Amino acid sequence: MKARVTVMLKDGVLDPQGEAVRHALGALGFAGVAGVRQGKVIELDLAEGMGRDEVERMCEALLANTVIERYEIELA
């Protein structure tokens, strides 16, 4: 089974990388972009029997800084 974890900064947390991307897009002529939030995607190949509970524990322990980040888990 595969798990995809998307990690993003929580609303209200400043995102300097997202702001840099927004500024660069404007400089390239893409003036219609009002905001950008930048994050990361982590793909995991899970061993037989592992599921959402284990992935959530991984996120809480290592994959996301839950003070400033939120995460979403997709299993396939």
Side-chain angles (χ1 to χ4, degrees):
M1 179 184 330
K2 290 189 180 280
R4 176 177 285 167
V5 179
T6 303
V7 181
M8 300 289 292
L9 289 171
K10 290 181 177 178
D11 293 338
V13 176
L14 295 178
D15 186 351
Q17 289 178 313
E19 186 60 21
V21 170
R22 187 197 61 77
H23 180 72
L25 289 171
L28 292 170
F30 299 101
V33 179
V36 175
R37 301 293 285 179
Q38 189 268 339
K40 59 187 171 188
V41 174
I42 303 164
E43 292 188 350
L44 303 167
D45 291 323
L46 302 177
E48 184 76 26
M50 291 187 73
R52 180 174 292 276
D53 290 343
E54 287 85 2
V55 176
E56 285 184 15
R57 288 200 310 270
M58 291 177 201
C59 290
E60 296 288 328
L62 175 67
L63 302 179
N65 177 349
T66 56
V67 173
I68 61 170
E69 295 175 323
R70 60 181 170 78
Y71 60 87
E72 296 176 8
I73 299 169
E74 298 173 53
L75 299 176

